[in-house]
């Protein structure tokens, strides 16, 4: 019996451009995924981008969730901001409500809510922050989060269905939490001109084989190699599972394509 007890899905954060600025290759990614987390305007996204992203996902029959973040467009929602519990709840209610307006216009249900960036990390470190954020999630709507943390504990406390996440393009700390960068540094190194690559990125980038190993380990054994080289078990339990990748990671299409092949192979072997 596999370590994961349910078929694995793939989710990607989408609609994270703003105005004339495009963030990731959304059109190429959408056909490869199962779940879309659509930015709701606070860390990225605007009304037209939200509307178009919802329509594109609907056309490909992708389940759509809200991706609320901290009010920090310049920092892409990856800088901590101190907010009161009341502000956090209202902020999430506001963003989820905005996306629901576009979903209802297209006759599409809200599938889930997944907080973005540093807010996600603040929530698994601080129970009160997690409780405040989840208080803004409509009753009965699933939340995506990190198993074995306050994400899971508070979801159970509030009666919210919980979907455990794995991460295809994010590294793990030894305590099973995530290494969250303001700008993605752990992308796939595909091609780099001798005089045109950032040295820090090259030092951190993964090869295609390293990326596949990172994904395969989580999917097949529910474990991962942390940044210190230690192998850590991920406490997924009996939860539904969705593997997250990011549209702003260098090599995003190649990463998600590799993830799709590994996930499909795993699901066919164990659940078909």
């Amino acid at each position: 019996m596999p370590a994961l007890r349910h078929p694995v899905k793939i989710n990607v954060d989408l609609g994270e451009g703003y105005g004339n600025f495009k963030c990731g290759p959304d059109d190429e990614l959408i056909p490869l995924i199962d779940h879309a987390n659509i930015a709701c305007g606070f860390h990225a996204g605007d009304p037209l981008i939200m509307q178009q992203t919802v329509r594109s996902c609907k056309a490909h029959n992708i389940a759509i969730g809200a991706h609320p973040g901290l009010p920090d467009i310049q920092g892409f929602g990856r800088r901590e901001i101190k907010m009161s519990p009341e502000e956090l709840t209202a902020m999430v209610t506001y963003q989820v409500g905005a996306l629901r307006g576009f979903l209802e216009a297209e006759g599409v249900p809200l599938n889930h809510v997944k907080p973005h960036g540093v807010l996600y990390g603040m929530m698994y470190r601080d129970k009160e922050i997690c409780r405040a954020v989840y208080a803004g999630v409509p009753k009965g709507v699933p939340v995506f989060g990190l198993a074995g943390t306050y994400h899971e504990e508070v979801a159970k406390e509030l009666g919210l269905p919980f979907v455990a996440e794995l991460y295809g393009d994010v590294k793990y700390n030894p305590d099973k939490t995530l290494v969250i960068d303001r700008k993605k540094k752990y992308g796939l190194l595909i091609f780099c001109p001798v005089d045109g690559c950032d040295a820090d990125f090259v030092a951190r980038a993964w090869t295609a084989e390293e990326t596949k190993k990172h994904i395969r380990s989580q999917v097949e054994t529910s474990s991962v190699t942390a940044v210190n080289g230690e192998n850590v078990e991920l406490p997924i339990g009996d939860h539904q599972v969705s593997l997250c990748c990011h549209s702003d990671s260098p090599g995003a299409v190649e990463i998600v394509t590799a993830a799709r092949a590994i996930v499909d192979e795993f699901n066919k072997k164990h659940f078909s």
Side-chain angles (χ1 to χ4, degrees), residues 58-74:
K58 178 184 177 181
H60 288 85
N61 199 32
I62 306 302
I64 299 172
H67 196 40
L70 294 172
D72 180 23
I73 290 174
Q74 183 174 343

Side-chain angles (χ1 to χ4, degrees), residues 31 37 44 65 71 97 102 119 130 139 154 160 175 199 203 236 242 263 271:
N37 317 308
F102 291 110
L119 178 62
C130 190
K139 293 188 183 303
V154 175
L160 295 171
D175 65 357
I236 303 300
S242 192
V263 163
F271 300 103

Side-chain angles (χ1 to χ4, degrees), residues 232-267:
V232 296
E233 299 292 326
L234 302 175
I236 303 300
D238 194 33
H239 292 298
Q240 300 288 328
V241 181
S242 192
L243 174 77
C244 176
C245 298
H246 293 85
S247 61
D248 68 313
S249 287
V253 173
E254 289 76 14
I255 291 170
V256 177
T257 298
R260 182 81 269 167
I262 292 168
V263 163
D264 286 350
E265 177 187 339
F266 173 82
N267 290 342

Side-chain angles (χ1 to χ4, degrees), residues 58-213:
K58 178 184 177 181
H60 288 85
N61 199 32
I62 306 302
I64 299 172
H67 196 40
L70 294 172
D72 180 23
I73 290 174
Q74 183 174 343
F76 200 64
R78 291 181 180 148
R79 300 184 295 189
E80 288 199 18
I81 298 175
K82 186 174 180 58
M83 301 178 71
S84 70
E86 293 78 14
E87 288 176 307
L88 289 167
T89 301
M91 175 193 79
V92 173
T93 300
Y94 186 99
Q95 292 180 73
V96 174
L99 183 67
R100 282 189 108 170
F102 291 110
L103 292 173
E104 290 173 5
E106 297 297 326
V108 177
L110 176 67
N111 184 75
H112 64 277
V113 173
K114 175 190 169 174
H116 168 79
V118 77
L119 178 62
Y120 187 98
M122 291 164 64
M123 290 168 62
Y124 62 57
R125 294 192 302 271
D126 189 310
K127 189 173 184 178
E128 294 310 310
I129 289 176
C130 190
R131 188 178 283 123
V133 169
Y134 280 174
V137 175
K139 293 188 183 303
V141 174
V143 290
F144 283 19
L146 205 60
T149 72
Y150 289 134
H151 289 179
E152 179 182 2
E153 180 180 331
V154 175
K156 183 177 181 180
E157 173 188 310
L158 298 181
L160 295 171
F162 180 79
V163 176
E165 288 197 285
L166 306 174
Y167 278 84
D169 57 357
V170 179
K171 293 192 176 184
Y172 287 77
N173 295 306
D175 65 357
K176 306 175 188 180
T177 61
L178 304 174
V179 178
I180 299 175
D181 294 304
R182 178 177 170 187
K183 184 176 181 180
K184 286 294 174 189
K185 299 176 181 177
Y186 293 109
L188 182 64
L189 183 60
I190 302 169
F191 172 73
C192 182
V194 174
D195 60 350
C197 244
D198 179 84
D200 182 56
F201 171 68
V202 173
R204 294 170 178 260
W206 293 338
T207 66
E209 289 310 309
E210 288 171 334
T211 302
K212 290 175 184 177
K213 180 180 178 182

